[in-house]
Amino acid sequence: MGSIVFYVYFLLMTKFFGQTLGKMLFGLRVIREDDGSLTWSDLLFREVVGRFIHRVLFLTPLLYVVVAFTNQKQGLHDMFASTRVVHTE
């Protein structure tokens, strides 16, 4: 039950607000690479499939190092979903 709540929180907050409470605090927002509206399929890949992969794989903390070496500072879950996180004005 806890996992369902975890995934639903990220999925719904990102769909309806473009950000979770943590991202709101830091002035961050999730957008599509083509600046279009976030679709349910984008979010399913980013928030469910991407987070599942990060939680299941043994070297999960090391996967976030990928962000430091990509031009648009994307994590693997962002690459899967063609999204990125940007600072809001």
Side-chain angles (χ1 to χ4, degrees), residues 2-46:
S3 292
I4 292 170
V5 171
F6 174 82
Y7 290 116
V8 168
Y9 164 76
F10 283 101
L11 186 65
L12 294 179
M13 287 294 291
T14 305
K15 175 62 178 169
F16 293 112
F17 299 103
Q19 54 197 159
T20 57
L21 294 175
K23 284 183 180 63
M24 288 177 190
L25 279 171
F26 290 101
L28 302 172
R29 178 177 294 278
V30 177
I31 63 168
R32 285 175 51 126
E33 286 181 341
D34 64 3
D35 293 324
S37 298
L38 291 169
T39 64
W40 285 108
S41 62
D42 295 332
L43 296 172
L44 284 173
F45 274 101
R46 183 182 197 280

Side-chain angles (χ1 to χ4, degrees), residues 53-64:
I53 289 169
H54 275 287
R55 291 180 64 108
V56 170
L57 293 178
F58 176 70
L59 300 173
T60 299
L62 295 177
L63 293 176
Y64 282 106

